[in-house]
Amino acid sequence: MRIAALSDFHIGARGYTDEFHHTEADFLAYLAALEADHDHIVLVGDIYQCEHAFLPRSAARELARARARMPALAARMHGPKYLYVHGNHDAVAAHELGLPEQLRLAADGFTVVFIHGHQFDPIFHRARAAAQAATWFTGRLRRAGLRPLAQWFEGHDIALKHRRFGRADGPYARAARTILREQAADLVVMGHTHVAHLHALPEGRVVNTGSCSRGRRVHVTIDTAARSVEIHAAGSC
């Protein structure tokens, strides 16, 4: 079985909150190519950006608006080849779309667990309110026409977290080791950090899908028969 995994599109409810930066037609063509070469496509969370609203409790409305902005893409991603686990920025989809937090697929004696990964982010875990406030704040910057400043803050946060937490002995890898042991898995697939990388661990492997936001096209291909894991990246930041 061949599986493609993608994450972190950050499709916004409005143009100024959107960080996807793909046209709907171009990204549909990209997905069509993946569909032709893979048995399943797994969306590993944060497909939609639902936390930039003025009112914190309006995430469901933000999700509906984001899906309506690109209706053909929303329909495609709920097609028969697609599986979808929610992340932290589209957590409302657990209720609105019935999405799970985690997914386990097995074929050819090879088991893969998919989870967004925010659950293991030390900042999100210890200071969730502050993390959500920071997301709301960057949304306000975008609304004020200060998108470059919002992107600078977010890029700085991504780089800092990756340096601190993205190592093979970091918190994401430690969490992956627990999942590999407890679920008798061979591979854990995460998103969240926006940095694609692959670590070989004593219990198995963990791969990060990077991000398809800001015009990037990044996916991971998993071949269960060959037991192979490959990162494919294109596009600009």
Side-chain angles (χ1 to χ4, degrees):
M1 181 167 63
R2 284 174 60 82
I3 306 165
L6 312 86
S7 75
D8 296 273
F9 297 4
H10 292 276
I11 300 170
R14 301 164 185 82
Y16 68 83
T17 65
D18 184 84
E19 285 299 312
F20 188 46
H21 296 189
H22 297 271
T23 68
E24 189 173 38
D26 285 349
F27 206 75
L28 285 170
Y30 173 54
L31 292 180
L34 294 182
E35 291 169 11
D37 196 39
H38 296 82
D39 300 293
H40 293 290
I41 298 175
V42 181
L43 307 172
V44 195
D46 282 3
I47 300 305
Y48 297 102
Q49 175 57 265
C50 304
E51 295 185 330
H52 280 329
F54 185 76
L55 297 174
R57 295 175 183 260
S58 58
R61 184 175 61 194
E62 294 293 288
L63 174 63
R65 286 178 172 173
R67 296 182 72 215
R69 287 186 65 238
M70 295 191 173
L73 181 57
R76 176 71 67 86
M77 292 190 299
H78 287 275
K81 279 201 171 187
Y82 289 81
L83 301 165
Y84 183 173
V85 298
H86 71 79
N88 53 306
H89 292 300
D90 57 1
V92 68
H95 178 264
E96 297 297 313
L97 304 178
L99 301 185
E101 184 178 38
Q102 186 177 143
L103 175 70
R104 188 175 187 269
L105 292 179
D108 306 307
F110 190 82
T111 299
V112 188
V113 174
F114 301 85
I115 187 168
H116 183 63
H118 64 282
Q119 300 89 339
F120 318 119
D121 181 336
I123 305 301
F124 185 86
H125 181 67
R126 296 171 190 165
R128 182 170 182 175
Q132 291 175 324
T135 298
W136 182 87
F137 174 68
T138 57
R140 296 306 92 200
L141 290 177
R142 287 181 169 86
R143 185 182 181 89
L146 300 173
R147 183 190 292 270
L149 183 58
Q151 291 177 333
W152 182 87
F153 275 117
E154 290 169 343
H156 180 72
D157 181 63
I158 288 166
L160 179 63
K161 283 185 177 181
H162 182 62
R163 286 196 302 270
R164 292 182 62 189
F165 307 137
R167 304 181 307 272
D169 61 349
Y172 299 108
R174 290 197 299 270
R177 293 184 68 178
T178 299
I179 293 171
L180 290 165
R181 286 194 303 268
E182 292 182 352
Q183 300 199 34
D186 300 284
L187 173 68
V188 174
V189 181
M190 297 184 188
H192 185 60
T193 71
H194 289 214
V195 181
H197 63 272
L198 174 65
H199 291 313
L201 306 171
E203 295 83 356
R205 286 174 282 181
V206 57
V207 67
N208 191 288
T209 54
S211 170
C212 284
S213 65
R214 300 194 191 180
R216 293 169 290 205
R217 291 181 297 171
V218 186
H219 71 271
V220 171
T221 291
I222 303 150
D223 189 316
T224 59
R227 305 177 75 85
S228 64
V229 183
E230 299 176 345
I231 298 170
H232 303 271
S236 59
C237 194

